[in-house]
Each structure stands twice: as structure tokens, then as C-alpha cells.
Amino acid sequence: MICPRCHSQVADHIKFCGTCGADLRAQSALVHSNPQQSPQSSIPPNQFEEYSNSVFGNAVPRAELHNPKGPLHIADMTISIEGELVPVVDIMLGNQLPIYFEHHILLWKHPGVQIGFKSMQGAARRFFAGLQIFISEAQGPGNIAFSRDSVGQIVALRLQPEQMVEVREHQFLVATSNVDYNFTFVQGISNILFSRTGLFIDQFTAIGSEGMLLLHGYGNVFEKMLAPGEALDIEPGAWLWKDPSVRMEMTTVAGSQRGGGILGALGGFMAGSSIVLNRFIGPGRVGIQSMTYHPPANEGAPEAGGQRNMDLNLGNLGDIF
């Protein structure tokens, strides 16, 4: 079967394209019911901009692929993203679908909107991992709005049933209640110690019906669609979200150079790169934020990354064990 969005070869039983995340269930069902009929004749229009509209196609990251240009509708709610420097998620809730959100980001709400707590699955695991056990939940009808106290861009990811995305910790804003919120451990000791991602990655999966996930990216957000085996080296702290099919590894500035030895590594370092880079390997998509956010450090403290990052993460391990 051929993916209608990126034209990659996909096995007939696959539900989502591993290269671009496209929903392939309708095409797969059509292939099984009538193998002689081309599934592309029934493809719905793509809800996002196409990479082919770019001069460079999918060879380079593209800006704001998931930056909505107008109101988003899901179930009986309407979601608008307004403002520029510090954007606001403005949601008109109906009666059908509640939402849940991170603490401390509520900006305003109508008095009729009910605020409560949503308990998370795997409470014991989350407790020992130092993650949130309870998260805020809002039930309509009425208007509610959220904003994080930082310059950036809000990204809206529309998830089809059973579709998952993985998100950097502490950058989730809002999700509809039919999106499952879980976490996974970062794979690889080098990723844990040096990649600045921390110990955990958030996982969001739509359950039963289409769901909506909104993230806050610092600065502006770009998206890169990686072909199978294609790699992209990204400054630590700059990745925002990715498809689960995208593998994350750690590399050094020297390892990221085609040649040049120590002088090439020094050149990359002087160009503004960290000693350590995150390497993402396709197939799949990765979201990139242009402002590589790191928690503030006291004046005179060493830069994040390297030994400092190792100390921080070993401290986190001590908190867990």
C-alpha cells in the first residue's frame, strides 16, 4: 500500500504511516475489500499543509505545519489560538467532551465551567517517578482560556483513534478527555545523562475517537518529516514532539561532522552548537522549537549539559530510588 501523503511504501495492515503519521485505516480497509481498486481515489483532503509546497520539499524542516489558521472543531467544542508573543488557547466547551490541562496555566473562565481533578492511570508508577498523579480537568458548557507565561507558539495536534505522539516533559498544555496521558522512560544511558530530555517522555494516545492535543513550543515551532533511516541532529532542548517511530540517540559535535577532526568539532562548537546533540532517526515526524528552553540557573552556575546535566539527572535518579 502507498501512503497518499508522502508516497512511502507501507504494509497493508499498518494503521498510520510511519513516515508522515497519515491515517491509513480507510485505505487499508479499501485495499482488503477490493485489492484491484486504487485507495487514493477516496483519500480525504489533507488537514495540514503539504511538504511539497516548499521549495525544498521535505528535505528541510518547515515552519508551523500544525499552526492552525482558524478555529478548530472537535465534538461540540471550538478551539481558537489567539495572540502572537504569548499566545492563548481559547476554548468554547460544549457538553460532550471535557478537557484536562497542566496546573497553573488557567487564564480565564466562565463561572459555569466546572474545574476538578482528573486522576491519572498508573498512579503508583507516576508517584515514584515524581510525575503528576492528579491533573486539572474542565467540564462545560462555557468558555475557558489558557496561557503559559512565556514567549512561544501553540501547536495543535489532531490525533486519530489509536494514534500516539511523544512529547517533551512539561510542554503539554491541554488535551481532550479521550486522549490518554502516559509516559515512558528515555531509552539509553547516554540519552538520560546528556540529552537534556530528562528521564521521561510524555505519551499521548487518542482512545476510541478523534482527540486534540495542544502543546506550547518556546519561540517558533518547525516540523521535519524524516524518511526511513534519515537522521537530523538537533540542539538539546530544541525538540518538542515526535512520532513514536522516530528513534532518539545522542551524538557529539565531532560525531556530527562528516570530517575535519578536532578542528571541525571546534568549528561546530564555536558556531553555537552544544558539545552534545540529539540525533533523531526516521521514519516519522519531529517537532522543533526555535528557542531551546532550559530552566534558569543561578548566576555563575555552569551551563546545562555535560557534567551539570549528568549531576541533575543523577539527582533525579536519587529522588526516584
Side-chain angles (χ1 to χ4, degrees), residues 192-193 196 198-199 295 297 302-319:
I192 293 174
L193 295 179
R196 302 189 197 172
L199 296 174
E303 293 293 325
Q307 182 63 41
R308 172 173 169 77
N309 197 60
M310 183 186 296
D311 294 341
L312 290 173
N313 282 296
L314 289 177
N316 290 338
L317 284 170
D319 293 339

Side-chain angles (χ1 to χ4, degrees), residues 195-216:
S195 70
R196 302 189 197 172
T197 296
L199 296 174
F200 309 101
I201 294 176
D202 291 336
Q203 292 180 321
F204 296 89
T205 308
I207 305 297
S209 59
E210 184 181 62
M212 188 71 72
L213 172 67
L214 294 112
L215 312 175
H216 180 274

